[in-house]
Amino acid sequence: LFNDTFPDLWVLNVLRVERAGSVEADEIAAEAERIQGRAGLPHRRVLFVNTDAGARLAPGFRALGWKGESFVFMVLKRLPTRAADTSIVVEVDADALVELREVILLEEFPGTPRTVLDALHASSLVMQRQGNGRHFAIVLGGRAVSATDLYSDGSTAQVEEVATLPDFRGRGYASAVVQRAVDDLNQSMQKIGQAVYGEARRNGLLMRPAGDWVGIAPPLCTTTDEADEIVAILESSIDTVVGRQT
């Protein structure tokens, strides 16, 4: 994957390995050198989609001098066990988070050049547009002191980039911004389920909306043709509703 506009950003320029098979780390590293080197990239980065392959090859990459990192995706499966004060959280635009993002980045990577900081902000605007990004923050004295991003395609969503300025940590702010993002997401998903129900009902199909789900319970005597008609109405209703919201 390459991004010609931001060649210095390793997050946007990566060799993605989907099926590693029996190849070894040195072979993949050589391929990264060939492809990314030819493209003139200042870095080399390989992303393994399969975690087992990544774990198998990690020692070999480390022996070659590479640095390994693991990404963890946490799935929301239940309600929170403690309440967070979301009343202090507001939705903001990306420009309101520039200072916060830069402080956090420089905390982890001191000395990051100004050009890279600017490129990261510019690339985040591209990602926001492509991923329907929204931003939630706690703003004190005109400064965003804690924030998170929410990306959604209408059926799947991701909360990421949760960060709090050093002087404001330990106050539950991160929990608050994440909870606000999840609350807003749940509300929008519920609206989708209700909207699909309404559209299907207008087309002669009764169902039960439940959050981001809709359920149908046709009788056992339903014929194959009737089942096909149910599926067709459901598919058409979903397409119509999603089309309105994109």
Side-chain angles (χ1 to χ4, degrees), residues 114-177:
R114 179 77 257 166
T115 53
V116 174
L117 295 174
D118 292 341
L120 283 169
H121 176 59
S123 67
S124 72
L125 298 179
V126 175
M127 296 174 66
Q128 174 188 321
R129 290 192 295 270
Q130 295 297 321
N132 300 315
R134 300 171 64 191
H135 314 282
F136 299 90
I138 294 174
V139 180
L140 301 176
R143 301 172 67 205
V145 300
S146 184
T148 192
D149 301 333
L150 171 65
Y151 296 95
S152 174
D153 63 3
S155 60
T156 304
Q158 182 169 318
V159 176
E160 61 179 53
E161 295 292 344
V162 184
T164 303
L165 291 176
D167 292 342
F168 296 89
R169 292 171 184 167
R171 305 184 189 185
Y173 288 170
S175 296
V177 295

Side-chain angles (χ1 to χ4, degrees), residues 38-61:
R38 180 189 299 170
L41 299 183
H43 66 272
R44 305 291 179 264
R45 184 181 185 227
V46 175
L47 174 65
F48 291 95
V49 177
N50 184 290
T51 54
D52 291 337
R56 177 179 71 82
L57 294 165
F61 274 98

Side-chain angles (χ1 to χ4, degrees), residues 6-243:
F6 306 105
D8 293 340
L9 301 186
W10 58 269
V11 295
L12 298 179
N13 297 272
V14 56
L15 174 61
R16 179 184 170 100
V17 180
E18 297 185 353
R19 293 182 296 274
S22 60
V23 300
E24 297 299 331
D26 58 341
E27 298 174 86
I28 298 176
E31 187 67 3
E33 181 64 34
R34 183 183 70 82
I35 295 175
Q36 296 175 328
R38 180 189 299 170
L41 299 183
H43 66 272
R44 305 291 179 264
R45 184 181 185 227
V46 175
L47 174 65
F48 291 95
V49 177
N50 184 290
T51 54
D52 291 337
R56 177 179 71 82
L57 294 165
F61 274 98
R62 283 194 291 269
L64 294 171
W66 287 59
K67 176 184 177 182
E69 292 182 342
S70 298
F71 292 90
V72 177
F73 293 88
M74 297 181 290
V75 180
L76 179 63
K77 293 185 175 181
R78 58 172 174 77
L79 295 173
T81 56
R82 60 180 181 180
D85 182 11
T86 59
S87 66
I88 58 176
V89 181
V90 295
E91 187 167 356
V92 299
D93 60 31
D95 289 336
L97 304 181
V98 172
E99 179 191 359
L100 169 62
R101 299 301 188 207
E102 289 186 357
V103 169
I104 298 302
L105 183 70
L106 290 171
E107 182 181 29
E108 185 174 1
F109 301 103
T112 300
R114 179 77 257 166
T115 53
V116 174
L117 295 174
D118 292 341
L120 283 169
H121 176 59
S123 67
S124 72
L125 298 179
V126 175
M127 296 174 66
Q128 174 188 321
R129 290 192 295 270
Q130 295 297 321
N132 300 315
R134 300 171 64 191
H135 314 282
F136 299 90
I138 294 174
V139 180
L140 301 176
R143 301 172 67 205
V145 300
S146 184
T148 192
D149 301 333
L150 171 65
Y151 296 95
S152 174
D153 63 3
S155 60
T156 304
Q158 182 169 318
V159 176
E160 61 179 53
E161 295 292 344
V162 184
T164 303
L165 291 176
D167 292 342
F168 296 89
R169 292 171 184 167
R171 305 184 189 185
Y173 288 170
S175 296
V177 295
V178 169
Q179 189 59 55
R180 169 61 191 280
V182 171
D183 289 346
D184 273 46
L185 173 65
N186 285 336
Q187 291 177 10
S188 65
M189 297 295 270
Q190 288 170 0
K191 292 177 183 177
I192 288 177
Q194 190 67 37
V196 170
Y197 161 76
E199 184 66 27
R201 184 171 182 176
R202 281 189 289 273
N203 290 312
L205 175 62
L206 292 178
M207 61 179 63
R208 176 174 296 180
D212 59 331
W213 294 81
V214 289
I216 55 176
L220 294 176
C221 61
T222 301
T223 66
T224 300
D225 289 343
E226 290 170 338
D228 290 342
E229 184 179 4
I230 289 172
V231 172
I233 293 174
L234 180 57
E235 288 180 342
S236 174
S237 300
I238 293 173
D239 288 343
T240 299
V241 170
V242 172

